[in-house]
Amino acid sequence: EDKVVQSPLSLVVHEGDTVTLNCSYEVTNFRSLLWYKQEKKAPTFLFMLTSSGIEKKSGRLSSILDKKELFSILNITATQTGDSAVYLCAVEPYNTDKLIFGTGTRLQVFP
Amino acid sequence: SQTIHQWPATLVQPVGSPLSLECTVEGTSNPNLYWYRQAAGRGLQLLFYSVGIGQISSEVPQNLSASRPQDRQFILSSKKLLLSDSGFYLCAWSLAGGGTQYFGPGTRLLVL
């Protein structure tokens, strides 16, 4: 059965800290991996990764995929209180039109 | 650019009452459409998805149903709500063939 596992489940840090969120997967016919940020509303898209070793970067957020070891990490540097959210990882297999979501990592950033 | 709308934003309904949630997408044609439910503190559960008008795939057997009467309209319904139907309902769209999904603002449903 296809599955996506995120760790840690929850993380509490202070502003300015750097955090690393993990996503591992077991999926038949992997197509892509996506990261979303969810505050108290709908998830917003962050990154889509399809190739190993190529870092995607947006401001203080970056992500990379390892298709050999079947995982991805999301890094956030110099965290701010506005980074507090649930971060969701999802994987899309080929020929399904569906995403398989992990349960998310809840990040809390305190001043 | 594409936009996705959902309404209502919040809803409080008694047990046993009917439900109709609507989702519409603008700025794209023939999208894939999806309904998810998220219980408090939980992950996203895919309920239904559609790759075209009148084409509905159900992921979880339950008392909910979905319909796609028009290309960019997706409706989630129930004839009789249960307490367990409470949650945050999200509609999403993607281009035909899948890929990145973009979510609507969601509907918070509380069944009492």
Side-chain angles (χ1 to χ4, degrees):
Chain A
E1 182 183 345
D2 296 339
K3 64 178 180 180
V4 176
V5 178
Q6 293 186 244
S7 64
L9 292 179
S10 180
L11 198 52
V12 180
V13 301
H14 289 288
E15 272 192 321
D17 289 350
T18 293
V19 298
T20 298
L21 281 55
N22 303 292
C23 176
S24 63
Y25 61 90
E26 293 178 23
V27 173
T28 305
N29 292 327
F30 173 90
R31 179 180 181 182
S32 65
L33 184 145
L34 299 95
W35 285 97
Y36 289 85
K37 176 183 181 181
Q38 185 178 23
E39 297 171 87
K40 293 182 180 178
K41 45 188 177 179
T44 54
F45 171 71
L46 294 175
F47 300 113
M48 174 189 268
L49 301 145
T50 58
S51 301
S52 280
I54 298 175
E55 185 183 56
K56 291 281 185 85
K57 194 171 174 67
S58 176
R60 295 175 295 102
L61 277 67
S62 64
S63 184
I64 198 161
L65 174 68
D66 186 330
K67 291 169 71 174
K68 181 180 178 183
E69 300 297 331
L70 309 183
F71 78 92
S72 173
I73 59 172
L74 176 67
N75 280 319
I76 308 175
T77 59
T79 51
Q80 302 172 358
T81 55
D83 295 325
S84 297
V86 174
Y87 290 84
L88 297 168
C89 174
V91 172
E92 183 190 25
Y94 274 105
N95 302 320
T96 67
D97 286 1
K98 296 185 290 185
L99 296 180
I100 303 165
F101 280 89
T103 53
T105 293
R106 180 175 297 278
L107 174 65
Q108 294 178 276
V109 183
F110 288 97
Chain B
S1 64
Q2 300 86 6
T3 55
I4 178 168
H5 305 277
Q6 282 186 248
W7 63 91
T10 59
L11 193 58
V12 181
Q13 292 285 98
V15 168
S17 64
L19 174 74
S20 180
L21 303 181
E22 189 163 344
C23 170
T24 59
V25 180
E26 296 177 356
T28 188
S29 295
N30 194 33
N32 286 356
L33 296 172
Y34 305 84
W35 278 113
Y36 290 88
R37 177 170 60 202
Q38 188 174 37
R42 306 289 293 275
L44 293 172
Q45 179 187 34
L46 179 63
L47 301 175
F48 301 94
Y49 71 98
S50 171
V51 299
I53 295 174
Q55 300 179 62
I56 308 295
S57 296
S58 174
E59 293 295 299
V60 182
Q62 55 205 322
N63 69 321
L64 298 172
S65 62
S67 62
R68 184 170 177 174
Q70 300 181 47
D71 182 45
R72 289 169 290 175
Q73 183 185 31
F74 205 22
I75 297 172
L76 183 69
S77 304
S78 174
K79 292 182 179 178
K80 288 186 177 182
L81 283 168
L82 306 173
L83 288 174
S84 57
D85 291 324
S86 294
F88 188 41
Y89 288 82
L90 288 158
C91 181
W93 75 273
S94 73
L95 294 174
T100 303
Q101 292 181 17
Y102 300 93
F103 289 84
T107 295
R108 294 199 183 275
L109 171 67
L110 179 60
V111 182
L112 300 175

